[in-house]
Amino acid sequence: MGNKGGQTTLKRQSAPGFWNIRRKEGRFVPKVSAGPHSKDRSYALGVILRDVLKAVQNMNEAKKVLNAGKIKVDNVPRYSHNFPVGLMDVIELIPSKQIYRLVSKNSTIIFPIEINETEKNQKLVKVIRKNKVCGNKIQYGFHDGKTLLSEKELKIGDSCLLKLPELEIQETFTLQENSLILIIRGDNSGKIGRVNEIKQGTFSLPKRVIASFESRSLEIPLDMIMIIGNENQEPIIRVS
């Protein structure tokens, strides 16, 4: 009888280009399951543990650690080695007391940086959709698949600092001149700059910003950036 559960692995050569794995070592790697992040912008949790963080030696060890509830993502235990982890997710390795945030860095859309204990309950998310619901409230959808009912007035593209795991909005960031932004996609992923000008979208062009990064300026579509701070403010959390 055929397998009706679907494939849980994929060939190494078919893995996303940003995955930091050895392409010619072995044939298969765990496949990202359906979840909060799209498969082309996320890692399988088991791959992060074994190949990127090198916290375990092999996938069997990764499965044992996960089954024991010793790995948290956004302060919630995760048990599947196929679980997708992506931009701004916080991964806590309970046995070693190490905590990592996945950010865009060095032209890579997902790169782990170690953070301290005080930041593990904070996460920056980007608003990507909004819908009105009963009770005159608005349901906001964030880039990581989370949703939240709120009476706050936010726009598509705004950022929110959430408290984990309660999903309580602590601070909001609206796109404006001098906003601090992080490029989250493309060849310039990981660069941090300030907005000089906001250009409204047209029939053929999306809404975009002109921002300064060190000694040069770039014009970037809104969907390729995340607001990480307001005027004259450093990044609200560590992102580099």
Side-chain angles (χ1 to χ4, degrees):
M1 186 174 179
N3 181 9
K4 294 184 179 181
Q7 292 292 328
T8 59
T9 60
L10 77 162
K11 292 184 178 179
R12 284 178 177 262
Q13 298 296 332
S14 301
F18 65 87
W19 278 27
N20 184 17
I21 60 175
R22 295 181 180 179
R23 302 281 166 169
K24 296 183 179 179
E25 183 179 286
R27 188 177 181 186
F28 296 102
V29 289
K31 183 180 180 181
V32 172
S33 63
H37 296 278
S38 62
K39 63 181 180 180
D40 58 339
R41 297 184 195 173
S42 61
Y43 268 102
L45 184 53
V47 175
I48 280 279
L49 295 176
R50 182 190 64 185
D51 300 277
V52 182
L53 300 179
K54 302 190 186 303
V56 296
Q57 295 184 349
N58 52 58
M59 198 53 62
N60 284 335
E61 186 178 344
K63 291 177 182 178
K64 289 180 181 178
V65 172
L66 288 164
N67 288 335
K70 295 181 179 179
I71 306 296
K72 289 184 177 181
V73 178
D74 290 349
N75 227 342
V76 176
R78 296 297 179 183
Y79 302 95
S80 171
H81 67 292
N82 296 104
F83 183 80
V85 289
L87 183 67
M88 294 297 169
D89 283 355
V90 177
I91 301 175
E92 181 180 1
L93 314 183
I94 296 175
S96 63
K97 297 182 179 179
Q98 292 175 297
I99 307 166
Y100 297 89
R101 175 175 289 116
L102 302 182
V103 300
S104 296
K105 186 176 181 181
N106 302 331
S107 300
T108 303
I109 67 173
I110 300 176
F111 186 92
I113 59 170
E114 192 164 2
I115 60 175
N116 57 41
E117 182 87 10
T118 60
E119 285 200 6
K120 77 173 187 178
N121 296 326
Q122 295 180 310
K123 182 177 184 180
L124 201 60
V125 293
K126 180 178 179 179
V127 179
I128 61 171
R129 59 184 175 273
K130 55 188 291 188
N131 299 293
K132 274 195 173 183
V133 296
C134 296
N136 219 18
K137 289 188 176 181
I138 299 177
Q139 183 182 56
Y140 293 103
F142 303 117
H143 80 277
D144 64 347
K146 292 181 175 61
T147 60
L148 183 65
L149 287 174
S150 177
E151 295 177 352
K152 292 182 179 291
E153 286 293 333
L154 299 173
K155 298 178 181 177
I156 302 296
D158 288 354
S159 293
C160 298
L161 183 65
L162 297 182
K163 180 181 179 182
L164 302 172
E166 297 89 343
L167 300 186
E168 176 186 328
I169 297 179
Q170 294 184 313
E171 199 168 346
T172 60
F173 305 91
T174 301
L175 184 65
Q176 56 191 355
E177 289 187 10
N178 289 320
S179 291
L180 194 63
I181 61 171
L182 171 73
I183 300 181
I184 58 176
R185 287 170 45 204
D187 294 338
N188 294 296
S189 294
K191 291 189 180 298
I192 296 174
R194 288 202 178 273
V195 174
N196 296 329
E197 183 183 351
I198 302 171
K199 290 192 171 184
Q200 298 302 318
T202 64
F203 180 78
S204 58
L205 291 173
K207 186 175 181 179
R208 56 211 187 278
V209 299
I210 297 177
S212 55
F213 299 87
E214 298 172 349
S215 59
R216 61 173 179 158
S217 294
L218 295 173
E219 186 171 316
I220 318 160
L222 191 62
D223 65 347
M224 294 179 65
I225 65 170
M226 174 179 278
I227 309 165
I228 58 174
N230 287 328
E231 183 178 2
N232 300 323
Q233 185 182 47
E234 293 298 311
I236 192 65
I237 55 174
R238 190 184 170 203
V239 294
S240 63

